Amino acid sequence: MSIKTAAGFLPGETVLVQGATGVAGRLAVKVARLLGAGRIVATGRDDEQLREVQALGADTVINTAVLDETLAQAYLDAKGDGYDVVLDFLWGRPTEILLRSLVPKSFTFAKPTRLIQVGESASGALLVAAESLRTSGVEIYGAAKGLNPETMNEAYGQIVNWTKSGELTFDVVKVPLSDIESAWQRTDLRGSRIVVVP
């Protein structure tokens, strides 16, 4: 829903998924590909998981567990002619650096970048420099922008259709209810979702 309703995504656009190694981020990469993204850039902190995300459909990956200057340069190197849509599951430091990297070095008519705030895995707060909004072309929206019963129904129906056809798959680990206590403590899920069964 965030890609279509909040971002107003159009096929062929470049999508940056901030925090693509989690469950929601991996699904965002798959959905962006199914919607016809021209390029998908994905970020995360683990090189092995980023390789997995690349196998799911990301064209380029960026490791955010690097020095600030290195990360800023990685965003610049990967942006091509610009990021049209940013789905941000991180917020905090990575997004601050992204916003700073999008500020043009000289006068230009910046291409709009629609940043959709979805999650806060890195931090619940972020410092936004005025120039990041004044000159970069960045527009920031919440994930619920454009959300109503019709758009929810349309997005849900699309997901169901993709799932039925096998185009969209979900990595789940089934756990019996009797093992819920130990399952809750697991740290080996790597992008999979626990599904509790009776």
Side-chain angles (χ1 to χ4, degrees), residues 103-181:
V103 174
K105 303 298 182 222
S106 61
F107 179 79
T108 183
F109 296 104
K111 177 180 178 181
T113 297
R114 290 136 21 230
L115 190 151
I116 310 304
Q117 203 293 312
V118 183
E120 53 187 74
S121 295
S123 176
L126 129 114
L127 179 64
V128 179
E131 68 177 353
S132 292
L133 296 181
R134 186 173 58 238
T135 62
S136 67
V138 171
E139 303 166 357
I140 300 176
Y141 301 103
K145 177 183 177 259
L147 192 62
N148 60 49
E150 291 79 27
T151 56
M152 281 186 72
N153 187 49
E154 180 186 336
Y156 179 75
Q158 181 65 74
I159 296 296
V160 169
N161 289 337
W162 282 332
T163 303
K164 284 181 178 179
S165 71
E167 293 175 274
L168 183 63
T169 58
F170 303 86
D171 297 323
V172 298
V173 175
K174 292 181 181 179
V175 175
L177 182 57
S178 58
D179 293 339
I180 188 65
E181 184 177 354

Side-chain angles (χ1 to χ4, degrees), residues 70-99:
T70 305
L71 181 55
Q73 189 60 52
Y75 284 130
L76 288 172
D77 292 344
K79 80 174 189 171
D81 66 350
Y83 301 112
D84 297 298
V85 174
V86 177
L87 288 178
D88 195 314
F89 295 95
L90 299 179
W91 215 234
R93 173 190 171 265
T95 303
E96 284 185 25
I97 295 168
L98 170 65
L99 291 173

